[in-house]
Amino acid sequence: MTMKLKCFGESGHSYKAALALELSDIEWEPIFVDFFNGESRSEAFRKTNIMGECPVLIDGATSISQSGVILQYIADKTGKFMGKPDDKYEVLRWVLWDNHKLSSQVGPVRFMMNFLPEDKRPQAATDFIRGRLKAAYSTLETHLEGRDWIVGDALTAADLSCCSYLYYPEPFGFERKELPNIDAWLTRISDLPGWKHPYDLMPGNPSDRA
């Protein structure tokens, strides 16, 4: 049975799930959610996910939201992306760190800098979050010193969670060339067979609204 992922191309959280599905060779289909016209906040969508957020993974009668939970579901389903048995909690630690410290801040600052009208962009809030993001980038850069992957010796859900927003081309204060360990790690992931850029993997692109 083909899994379905409710998602849209601009969503880094959706990209985590979509990339995991693509790299696991699961048969899946992206279902476009028109976020910018309010679809995820509609009554119909909230019947699928009361939280009103993407992504949502549908596998038969099972419907799951929240990217970290979806990554765990895919790992349990395929036996991939969780590393060795002793790595379980370290993988979870980094997924939770990403959701609290990295993606949770990149998402809003990228949105404010690129998807809000210029006269509605809150500069003080943007500057504050970018300052916090510098600390998060530093944490990840330091951790990746001498490592190929965040946990263990192969790609895990920790990598899939932390990398997602860092492939987007819109400016949000992240410069790969200033962070060589992160830069090499992102290249390592994008060199994996089956890797695709978020705008190639999911429907929805800023150019669609230009």
Side-chain angles (χ1 to χ4, degrees):
M1 180 179 294
T2 300
M3 292 189 189
K4 300 183 186 300
L5 185 71
K6 293 190 174 185
C7 59
F8 60 101
E10 295 92 338
S11 167
H13 286 289
S14 293
Y15 183 50
K16 300 172 190 183
L19 186 59
L21 289 166
E22 190 73 11
L23 294 179
S24 66
D25 295 324
I26 286 178
E27 187 176 337
W28 72 286
E29 175 187 358
I31 305 297
F32 176 61
V33 175
D34 193 356
F35 172 84
F36 288 93
N37 282 314
E39 182 180 348
S40 64
R41 299 179 292 282
S42 68
E43 182 179 349
F45 186 89
R46 286 180 180 272
K47 288 180 180 178
T48 302
N49 177 16
I50 190 62
M51 297 176 181
E53 297 173 337
C54 288
V56 178
L57 180 68
I58 300 170
D59 183 14
T62 300
S63 179
I64 303 171
S65 67
Q66 297 298 310
S67 60
V69 180
I70 293 172
L71 288 174
Q72 183 66 58
Y73 183 83
I74 295 169
D76 290 341
K77 193 93 172 179
T78 65
K80 298 180 179 180
F81 309 137
M82 291 310 294
K84 297 174 182 176
D86 289 346
D87 294 334
K88 176 180 178 180
Y89 293 111
E90 184 67 0
V91 170
L92 178 60
R93 185 170 79 107
W94 281 98
V95 170
L96 294 177
W97 175 83
D98 167 63
N99 278 256
H100 181 56
K101 296 290 190 180
L102 185 57
S103 289
S104 63
Q105 300 188 92
V106 173
V109 81
R110 174 172 160 263
F111 182 84
M112 290 188 292
M113 290 179 65
N114 298 277
F115 302 134
L116 285 179
E118 286 193 33
D119 63 341
K120 296 185 184 302
R121 295 175 184 176
Q123 192 61 49
T126 299
D127 291 344
F128 174 76
I129 297 174
R130 286 181 64 176
R132 291 179 61 86
L133 276 169
K134 285 185 178 179
Y137 299 145
S138 178
T139 295
L140 185 57
E141 175 73 8
T142 299
H143 178 73
L144 285 168
E145 180 70 37
R147 299 173 185 266
D148 287 343
W149 308 102
I150 291 179
V151 179
D153 56 8
L155 181 80
T156 68
D159 302 290
L160 292 166
S161 191
C162 290
C163 79
S164 61
Y165 275 100
L166 304 184
Y167 286 112
Y168 281 95
E170 298 86 16
F172 52 90
F174 171 70
E175 297 292 341
R176 284 179 61 161
K177 65 179 180 295
E178 297 176 359
L179 299 158
N181 296 328
I182 292 177
D183 180 48
W185 165 71
L186 290 172
T187 298
R188 204 169 291 119
I189 296 172
S190 63
D191 282 345
L192 292 170
W195 180 89
K196 292 181 181 178
H197 188 277
Y199 290 144
D200 295 328
L201 193 54
M202 300 176 292
N205 189 307
S207 63
D208 298 337
R209 301 185 306 281

